[in-house]
C-alpha cells in the first residue's frame, strides 16, 4: 500500500479533485472556457499517441466538457488545457496539486504534470490514491456522478468510459484507470451496495484483462 509507484493517468484524479474543490468554492464555473494551446494539442492530442479528448488546436472548451474529457476519456489534451488555464504552465499547476494533496492527507505523493505521463519524480502510493478517492466521493457528491457516465462525445468522436467495472453489475460507479509501460495497468475503483461502499487502488498489472479481473474480485460482494 505504501510502495512508491508511477501513477500514470490515475494522477488525473488529483487534477479532478483540485477542480472540484475550486468549483465547490465558487472560484471556477463549469461554463468557464479554457484554450487548447499548442503544447496541450501536441503533447496530449491525438497525434501524441496517448489518450485524448480530440480537442482542436486553439479552440476554447467549457470546463464542464473538459472535465468529462478527462474523467471519461482520460484526455491528456484536456488535462493540459485545464492546468494551463488555471496556473499558466503544467509545472506551476503541479505545485498547486502538491500543496492540495498534503491538505487532504496524501503524505507520499509528488506530482510533476497534469496528465500522469512519465516523469521520474512523479510518484504516489495506493494508500494515497485510496485516500484521494474517498475524499472525492465524500466531498463532491454533486460532481462525483460524472465518473459513472458511460460515454462522452467531443469533436464528433464518441469514446466509452475506460473504467471496466461500470458494466459489471457490482455497484461500481467510479473512478479512474491508468497505464504506461513503466507503471503497468492500474485502477482506482469504487462500488456501493446498500449502505456499504468499498474503495480499491491497484497498479502494476500486466494486462487490461488482469486489471479488470483483479479489481472485480476485490469489489464484487
Amino acid at each position: 500500500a505504501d510502495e512508491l509507484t508511477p501513477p500514470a493517468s490515475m494522477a488525473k484524479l488529483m487534477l479532478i479533485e483540485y477542480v472540484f474543490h475550486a468549483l465547490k468554492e465558487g472560484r471556477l464555473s463549469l461554463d468557464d472556457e479554457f484554450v487548447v494551446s499548442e503544447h496541450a494539442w501536441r503533447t496530449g492530442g491525438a497525434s501524441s499517441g496517448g489518450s485524448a479528448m480530440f480537442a482542436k488546436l486553439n479552440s476554447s472548451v467549457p470546463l464542464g466538457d473538459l472535465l468529462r474529457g478527462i474523467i471519461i476519456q482520460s484526455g491528456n489534451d484536456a488535462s493540459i488545457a485545464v492546468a494551463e488555464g488555471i496556473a499558466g504552465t503544467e509545472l506551476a499547476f503541479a505545485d498547486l496539486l502538491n500543496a492540495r494533496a498534503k491538505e487532504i492527507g496524501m503524505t507520499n505523493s509528488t506530482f510533476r504534470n497534469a496528465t500522469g505521463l512519465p516523469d521520474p519524480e512523479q510518484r504516489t502510493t495506493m494508500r494515497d490514491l485510496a485516500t484521494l478517492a474517498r475524499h472525492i466521493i465524500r466531498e463532491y457528491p454533486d460532481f462525483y456522478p460524472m465518473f459513472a457516465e458511460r460515454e462522452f462525445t467531443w469533436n464528433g468522436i464518441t469514446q466509452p468510459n475506460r473504467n471496466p467495472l461500470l458494466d459489471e453489475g457490482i455497484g461500481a460507479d467510479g473512478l479512474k484507470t491508468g497505464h504506461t509501460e513503466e507503471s503497468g495497468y492500474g485502477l482506482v475503483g469504487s462500488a456501493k451496495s446498500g449502505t456499504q461502499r468499498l474503495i480499491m487502488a491497484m497498479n502494476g498489472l500486466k494486462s487490461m484483462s488482469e486489471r479488470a479481473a483483479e479489481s472485480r474480485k476485490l469489489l464484487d460482494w
Side-chain angles (χ1 to χ4, degrees), residues 2-3 6 29 42-43 93 106 110 125 127 132 134 159 171 173 175 193:
D2 296 307
E3 179 181 348
S29 163
R42 290 197 179 278
T43 304
F93 186 67
M106 298 170 66
T110 302
T125 66
R127 189 185 306 279
L132 177 58
R134 180 177 60 188
Q159 298 184 65
D173 55 11
L175 298 156
S193 179

Side-chain angles (χ1 to χ4, degrees), residues 143-155:
F143 301 124
Y144 180 67
M146 287 186 189
F147 285 98
E149 294 179 17
R150 296 302 200 270
E151 62 181 29
F152 181 62
T153 301
W154 189 257
N155 198 18

Side-chain angles (χ1 to χ4, degrees), residues 139-181:
E139 295 297 320
Y140 311 112
D142 292 339
F143 301 124
Y144 180 67
M146 287 186 189
F147 285 98
E149 294 179 17
R150 296 302 200 270
E151 62 181 29
F152 181 62
T153 301
W154 189 257
N155 198 18
I157 300 170
T158 300
Q159 298 184 65
N161 196 309
R162 291 169 179 253
N163 187 337
L165 299 179
L166 293 180
D167 295 318
E168 292 290 333
I170 59 173
D173 55 11
L175 298 156
K176 191 76 190 68
T177 61
H179 172 256
T180 63
E181 286 296 321

Side-chain angles (χ1 to χ4, degrees), residues 13 16 20 73 75-76 95 110 112 118 130 133 150 154 157 168 210 216:
L13 285 174
I16 293 163
F20 282 179
Q73 302 173 337
N76 292 325
D95 289 339
T110 302
R112 287 290 178 257
R150 296 302 200 270
W154 189 257
I157 300 170
E168 292 290 333
E210 184 184 9
R216 187 186 309 115

Side-chain angles (χ1 to χ4, degrees), residues 78-211:
S79 300
I80 297 171
V82 169
E84 292 179 335
I86 291 175
T89 67
E90 273 197 274
L91 190 58
F93 186 67
D95 289 339
L96 298 179
L97 296 186
N98 289 323
R100 182 63 185 154
K102 288 181 172 55
E103 289 177 4
I104 63 177
M106 298 170 66
T107 58
N108 291 300
S109 294
T110 302
F111 298 95
R112 287 290 178 257
N113 57 48
T115 60
L117 289 171
D119 184 294
E121 295 182 352
Q122 185 153 257
R123 294 292 183 268
T124 189
T125 66
M126 295 304 99
R127 189 185 306 279
D128 273 6
L129 288 181
T131 296
L132 177 58
R134 180 177 60 188
H135 174 83
I136 289 172
I137 293 166
R138 287 180 172 177
E139 295 297 320
Y140 311 112
D142 292 339
F143 301 124
Y144 180 67
M146 287 186 189
F147 285 98
E149 294 179 17
R150 296 302 200 270
E151 62 181 29
F152 181 62
T153 301
W154 189 257
N155 198 18
I157 300 170
T158 300
Q159 298 184 65
N161 196 309
R162 291 169 179 253
N163 187 337
L165 299 179
L166 293 180
D167 295 318
E168 292 290 333
I170 59 173
D173 55 11
L175 298 156
K176 191 76 190 68
T177 61
H179 172 256
T180 63
E181 286 296 321
E182 181 185 19
S183 70
Y185 290 87
L187 173 65
V188 180
S190 184
K192 186 176 182 181
S193 179
T195 59
Q196 183 181 23
R197 175 177 289 281
L198 299 180
I199 296 169
M200 52 134 285
M202 60 170 63
N203 205 12
L205 301 177
K206 296 179 180 179
S207 68
M208 291 177 66
S209 58
E210 184 184 9
R211 173 175 64 188

